[in-house]
Amino acid sequence: WVRILDIALLFVMLALGLNIVVGFAGLLDLGYIAFFAVGAYSYALLASPQFGIHWSFLVLLPLGAMVAAVFGILLGAPTLRLRGDYLAIVTLGFGEIIRIFLNNLNRPYNITNGPQGITLIDPVQLGEFALNKSYTIAGFTVAPVHSYYFLFLLCAAAAVLISLRLQDSRIGRAWVAIREDELAASAMGI
């Protein structure tokens, strides 16, 4: 049940990001998850035996985010002027292209292991502290599955705080104002 909570917390973080794009900015982005997939696969490829690189968690996490951001820029640049249904169709197509591409990237050279996915990904490790080991803290034993749960809980709490801060920030208020202005213009038929 703890792994299910881990996945639920991951989906909470993804939903908060989607809320920023759709809720604040008013952009109907149906391929949002493709950027998550690109970043996650980038991290997994560099932290697994696929390429044998095994870099540190502190290097790979920002690197995966940067690769996802580059793909976001590559998709965002030609679609800057799209709105509404057109943006939804383009982003949905991008999401499907990424899904099919990564699922079929096992032939002729096995890069992503196809639909089975990448296995044996290195555990999150900071110095001597690794989340794949059990630790006893104040008489309580924390199993590896619980360590990952606490990491996801911490990340989800940080995502909630960042989202709340963004909502009240100058940029967040501007996004909401732009969205409301576009809604008012479309209601008047402009």
Side-chain angles (χ1 to χ4, degrees):
W1 62 270
V2 177
R3 291 183 197 273
I4 294 170
L5 288 176
D6 290 346
I7 292 171
L9 288 170
L10 178 66
F11 286 160
V12 163
M13 290 183 276
L14 289 170
L16 285 168
L18 187 61
N19 185 48
I20 290 170
V21 174
V22 178
F24 291 173
L27 300 172
L28 186 55
D29 185 357
L30 298 177
Y32 176 79
I33 198 71
F35 303 113
F36 167 71
V38 167
Y41 266 97
S42 299
Y43 180 94
L45 285 170
L46 297 174
S48 70
Q50 295 295 98
F51 295 139
I53 295 177
H54 303 286
W55 286 348
S56 168
F57 166 76
L58 295 175
V59 173
L60 291 180
L61 192 64
L63 184 63
M66 285 191 322
V67 170
V70 165
F71 272 82
I73 291 168
L74 289 175
L75 178 69
T79 61
L80 270 174
R81 299 203 183 270
L82 295 178
R83 295 276 185 250
D85 296 341
Y86 300 108
L87 179 66
I89 291 168
V90 168
T91 56
L92 179 64
F94 176 72
E96 283 299 302
I97 289 168
I98 291 295
R99 182 185 65 82
I100 292 168
F101 179 72
L102 292 174
N103 272 335
N104 292 305
L105 207 52
N106 59 343
R107 286 180 247 112
Y109 301 105
N110 188 11
I111 296 175
T112 63
N113 205 22
Q116 287 81 30
I118 299 171
T119 57
L120 302 174
I121 298 172
D122 298 338
V124 174
Q125 184 171 351
L126 297 171
E128 295 297 317
F129 181 75
L131 293 184
N132 67 337
K133 298 177 184 173
S134 295
Y135 293 98
T136 302
I137 301 170
F140 294 103
T141 301
V142 179
V145 70
H146 295 113
S147 298
Y148 278 100
Y149 166 74
F150 289 124
L151 176 67
F152 280 125
L153 187 62
L154 182 69
C155 290
V160 167
L161 289 176
I162 290 170
S163 180
L164 288 173
R165 296 286 297 161
L166 181 63
Q167 181 179 359
D168 296 330
S169 74
R170 191 174 187 183
I171 294 173
R173 289 192 311 265
W175 282 342
V176 171
I178 290 170
R179 184 194 72 214
E180 290 174 356
D181 186 44
E182 287 179 358
L183 288 174
S186 67
M188 291 188 303
I190 299 173

